[in-house]
Amino acid sequence: MTTPRSLDDPFGARATLGPGLPDLYRLDAVADRIDLATLPVTVKILLENLLRHAGGGVVEAGDVETLLAWRPGVAAEAEIPFMPARVLLQDFTGVPAVVDLAVMRDAMADLGGDPAKVNPLVPADLVIDHSVQIDRFGTPGAFAFNVEREYERNGERYQLLRWAQTAFRDLRVVPPGTGIVHQVNLEFLATVVTDRDDGSGHRIAYPDTVVGTDSHTTMVNGLGVLGYGVGGIEAEAVLLGQPLYQPMPHVVGVRLHGALPRGSTATDLVLVVTELLRAHGVVGAFVEFAGDGLATLALADRTTISNMSPEFGATATLFPIDDETLTYLRLTGRSPERVDLVERYARIQGLWREPGDGPVFDELLELDLAGVAPSVAGPRRPQDRVPLETLRENFRSNFPNGLEGVLADLGGEEPVPGNGVVEDASAASFPASDPPSFASGDQVEDVAPAAEPVDPAAADVDVRAYRPVEVQVDGRPYAVRTGSVAIAAITSCTNTSNPTVMVGAGLLARNAVARGLRVEPTVKTSLAPGSRAVTGYLESAGLMAPLETLGFDLVGYGCTTCIGNSGPLHEAVAHAVEANDLVVAAVLSGNRNFEGRIHPLARASYLASPPLVVAFALAGRVDIDLTREPLGTGSDGRPVYLADIWPEPDEIRSVIADAIDPELFRRTYATVFDGDDAWRLLPIPSGDRYAWAEGSTYIAKPPFFEGLTLAPRPVGDIEGARVLAVLGDSVTTDHISPAGSIAADSPAGQWLQAHGVGPLEFNSYGARRGHHEVMMRGTFANIRLRNRLVQGKEGPYTVHLPDGEEGFIYDVAMRYGAEGVPLAVIAGREYGSGSSRDWAAKGPALLGVRFALAESFERIHRSNLVGMGVLPIQFKPGESAASLGLTGREVYSVTGLAGQPTPRQAVAVSAFRDPTSGGDGGTRRFDAIARLDGPIDVEYYLAGGILPAVLRRLATES
């Protein structure tokens, strides 16, 4: 039964699911306009989102019409709004969002409004998982010790989040030591289909959708939930009830056939998928899986694939809802009522997977699961898949230095000193959410060289070996060499959410222990699952004990090694690596392995399944063919091969059936928001406004709302601007926004030391994202930044004009600010590419940058600039700074903005060649495009950014 058409339901789509059930917005209300039977599920979810919000003041009927014009294979330039059902935050990116909400409450009071009115308008969950570091490992007390150190390092940040947990409605906080954000989302937070009160006492059911401030938010796509990662500013926009605007969806289908063969895991499959999609090219696209092969793929296997979306460049990687989805919901303790609602809704709306080929996509790829073989990925990039039997040659071809002689002839040789150097700031600044610097600091994630391919049929047997170096650990001698495994980490929600590979790792450890195998103490072993449910079922199955025997003791419930929080290596091992220029390896069950990310001293990193992580820890090296060479010698004196201890699939299934049940998950999540004593006893301010600590170096009240009035100041032209930096093509957010370690001699490092913080306590920029004084000093702080105003010099430097004095970009910006001079940045193509970071827009705004003039902008970064009141201006096609003869030493004016700007309007730019700065006194005039791409951009720019715009609206309503 449908309801009559109305202003807030212009397509008459609202109907009831049945007696006593919520309403829904039926997709078949527009079935005469689009072929629903062949429409990808991704497009259906976006279409329902528009139908439900049409006529509500943000989404218009025309937006629905725009998406109804979608046709497979037909490109379209239009954008559509998307209003996610909820927001997911982790602590590194969530802290700035909470800081902004807190300062908005102060500003609301200053405007005479009610501070309590500032709340998330969309439900949000924040999971603290990015701050735990592996300081202690391989002992029963490692978990407790690491959590204690975590609180010591992050107490100020956690006080803010603890206060937020009590002060804001619709913001829930999962305390430290609980789990990883995406696994908690998968096992507990996600509903697949949700239902909420519409404000009139009636409930509406609709697809659970989510955006998160972590790129791997896509993991929940495996559950049939459309979600993906966004930057902090976009997340705050959604929190405050604003839509996200995105291009018309381009959907790439992957049709599966067959089933995985014995011995292959979900990790092997995801590495094949990553290689396939990376080679095809899916950057910015939506990927959707289909085909009868899905029936053989467990839900946890699907989520492993979805988790890796950022690694192959997709916006999201969606799996349709089917019986396997319902099985997983029941297993993880969701209520029968929820499971029934999911099935009923999915079937009615056509979101349910039916047998057959599936929808019609823009592009289609085919994959036979039977061809998936055991493999790893590395040594520098997740898309460089290496079959297990060619790993030995892969490593040696990538790191040939030091190969000599025959292994038997090298045992007594003295080590040869090398010159391996880790950047001092990197070594001194753990933990780091972003990769610490090692070697070339200007290498961003996707430009690392590909691994050398190896043809196993053509490879000769290499009898050479790397020279061993003796180290003393606990009073006993051991050998390390290039190729040695320095880190073996069962880590990351990518794999620890999957019981098959986790139980497989436990059974392999049990079998290895029974054969008398052990891991040498030169290997830093760790177990850091994404949920307490994992250790629950491993304990129940009796598998924690063998894992601990091999050193895989619990070190924490958090991201740890996967994001670079691997902690220090054993001192003797670290010294041997540096002194002898050894290339040691990390093997981890994570999703990223860019050089230097996992640990500054681990120049090679391989992604592997949890069972293979254990196997490589036992072998102690990666230059090995585990399909033919033994892992070690058993207690009976005989060689033990991987095949000897690899668990049988039937036993894995039997253990899972016996050890995992819904009650396990209900117990795990019954008190998920409560935290331990350390969390509950954190001192927090009372009241609805945060008490900013004067001396804090982690959390401070940002100046975003200083001088804000209820009515925005009129927008005028920009006159007399100086250029802070002239940059080239593909300048990434890694160049613009603080990332990783803090150098002691940098402006941020100097500020911290002046405030009593020594270099060993700097932590990382990621941990200090809640303090604007640190972050603005770190803006443009990349040591490989190439600013053409300082030719022949790399790093965070510029010149002050007209006197020409060189200095740090921060210091020069402050001089200009004191002089009342507005600033600009000039760049080439794809300005702001790479990961979305809110501080890549916040930082320049606080430095006084009024506009960025570029040949093109990365989509999200352009939006972020507008969100911070910085005007993105684009050269006309075919024009650039070089073609116009611009050097950056000119004085700039931008006219045409006064009054009421319009979307994508032309502006007049003039560049006066100031004689006091070496110019000839002439002026270069040209037109450019103000990249305010729609009415919402214009509204934000006129208001001075998204936060002032929303605050004024709330203050007016208050």
Side-chain angles (χ1 to χ4, degrees), residues 313-384:
T315 299
T317 303
L318 190 70
F319 286 78
I321 299 167
D322 61 7
D323 285 321
E324 180 61 27
T325 313
L326 304 185
T327 298
Y328 184 83
L329 291 176
R330 295 187 187 100
L331 177 67
T332 49
R334 267 66 168 217
S335 70
E337 294 78 15
R338 177 63 55 192
V339 176
D340 177 72
L341 178 63
V342 169
E343 180 175 10
R344 186 185 298 263
Y345 183 92
R347 288 186 182 278
I348 288 176
Q349 293 283 62
L351 307 180
W352 186 267
R353 183 183 68 84
E354 300 290 352
D357 290 341
V360 178
F361 302 103
D362 287 293
E363 301 176 79
L364 178 65
L365 301 173
E366 309 267 356
L367 178 61
D368 185 356
L369 296 174
V372 174
S375 57
V376 297
R380 303 181 185 92
R381 306 189 308 179
Q383 65 264 36
D384 295 331

Side-chain angles (χ1 to χ4, degrees), residues 244-267:
L244 292 178
Y245 284 87
Q246 61 185 34
M248 284 280 277
H250 181 85
V251 188
V252 178
V254 179
R255 187 179 295 152
L256 297 182
H257 307 277
L260 287 175
R262 180 186 180 279
S264 293
T265 68
T267 313

Side-chain angles (χ1 to χ4, degrees), residues 262-298:
R262 180 186 180 279
S264 293
T265 68
T267 313
D268 303 318
L269 171 59
V270 76
L271 296 181
V272 169
V273 169
T274 300
E275 181 183 50
L276 172 72
L277 294 178
R278 192 82 190 202
H280 179 77
V282 294
V283 174
F286 291 88
V287 172
E288 183 172 318
F289 277 73
D292 291 335
L294 281 175
T296 70
L297 211 57

Side-chain angles (χ1 to χ4, degrees), residues 178 182-189 299-300 327-335 496-500 502-503 529-538 540 655-673:
T178 304
H182 309 305
Q183 193 161 341
V184 174
N185 188 28
L186 182 69
E187 294 177 353
F188 176 68
L189 299 174
L299 195 290
T327 298
Y328 184 83
L329 291 176
R330 295 187 187 100
L331 177 67
T332 49
R334 267 66 168 217
S335 70
T496 68
S497 61
N498 192 325
T500 300
M502 293 303 292
V503 168
S531 161
R532 288 176 176 263
V534 176
T535 46
Y537 65 69
L538 289 176
S540 176
V655 169
I656 290 174
D658 292 340
I660 304 178
D661 61 17
E663 190 55 36
L664 168 66
F665 290 91
R666 294 191 189 103
R667 289 195 308 270
T668 297
Y669 289 105
T671 57
V672 67
F673 301 111

Side-chain angles (χ1 to χ4, degrees), residues 10-11 50-51 53-66 81 245 935:
F11 294 88
L50 292 175
L51 281 173
H53 290 101
V58 175
V59 178
E60 300 176 354
D63 296 315
V64 180
E65 301 282 357
T66 297
Y245 284 87

Side-chain angles (χ1 to χ4, degrees), residues 565-591:
N565 289 1
S566 49
L569 301 179
H570 191 286
E571 186 176 349
V573 175
H575 175 74
V577 171
E578 292 188 280
N580 296 278
D581 201 19
L582 304 180
V583 180
V584 294
V587 182
L588 66 150
S589 61
N591 47 44

